[in-house]
Amino acid sequence: MKVTGTAHKVGDHIDTDAIIPARFLVTTDAKELGANCMEGLEAGWVKRVKENDVMVGGVNFGCGSSREHAPISILGAGIPVVLAHSFARIFYRNGFNMGLVLLEIGDDIDKFSDTDQIEVDTASGVIRNLTTGATVQAAPVPPFMQEILNAGGLVEYAKKKLA
């Protein structure tokens, strides 16, 4: 999968309550959750986002509770990929299970700024900053995980395999 969009940079230790505050957990509808994505960080944050934009996080992105609503809200906001220095373990698992691409790039995260244009190739792991010309190599998404992402997450993948 290739994605090209605008970077939306957030900080370190962004927890799941910042991603989707508890008051919005009355639905599992991705679009409804997406309309409130990052409301715990900044009111109206999602209004800057366009389809296929890329979220850029810092250290320990997705820490806090294990709510699956957090990756669903990011997807519902139109963001198919999150780059981060590192991810919280449970968020990382939930992200892929829900169909959200997560790429850890360590200190190379500093090569991306808010509003940079980014191109991500999940199959090769190549991430290009089209604004600055920087290129970063992340670990590519393994083929079996790419199948899960292409299916729309683990549940949809299992349904297809069992059909």
Side-chain angles (χ1 to χ4, degrees), residues 6-18:
T6 301
H8 297 280
K9 195 157 187 179
V10 296
D12 294 337
H13 308 289
I14 299 297
D15 66 27
T16 54
D17 201 47

Side-chain angles (χ1 to χ4, degrees), residues 103 105 119-128 135-141:
L103 296 174
I105 58 174
E119 178 185 79
V120 180
D121 184 336
T122 62
S124 68
V126 173
I127 306 162
R128 290 185 177 86
T135 299
V136 171
Q137 179 67 57
V141 176

Side-chain angles (χ1 to χ4, degrees), residues 20-151:
I20 187 71
R23 67 185 179 274
F24 299 113
L25 302 181
V26 295
T27 183
T28 57
D29 180 78
K31 287 294 179 193
E32 285 185 48
L33 291 167
N36 297 295
C37 184
M38 303 306 282
E39 277 294 307
L41 181 67
E42 176 189 331
W45 182 92
V46 76
K47 292 177 183 172
R48 296 191 297 263
V49 175
K50 294 184 182 90
E51 194 75 24
N52 288 322
D53 280 354
V54 178
M55 190 177 292
V56 179
V59 174
N60 200 28
F61 184 89
C63 58
S65 74
S66 61
R67 62 180 67 152
E68 293 171 340
H69 294 76
I72 295 170
S73 73
I74 294 170
L75 286 165
I79 299 171
V81 177
V82 180
L83 309 176
H85 180 282
S86 60
F87 292 96
R89 178 183 55 85
I90 294 173
F91 180 84
Y92 189 82
R93 180 67 181 254
N94 282 342
F96 278 97
N97 286 349
M98 297 296 114
L100 179 63
V101 177
L102 305 171
L103 296 174
E104 282 190 3
I105 58 174
D107 290 337
D108 282 338
I109 202 69
D110 295 333
K111 294 180 179 177
F112 301 94
S113 298
D114 202 41
T115 72
D116 284 350
Q117 292 300 300
I118 298 177
E119 178 185 79
V120 180
D121 184 336
T122 62
S124 68
V126 173
I127 306 162
R128 290 185 177 86
N129 186 327
L130 302 176
T131 303
T132 67
T135 299
V136 171
Q137 179 67 57
V141 176
F144 77 94
M145 290 178 73
Q146 193 66 56
E147 287 183 45
I148 292 170
L149 292 167
N150 291 342

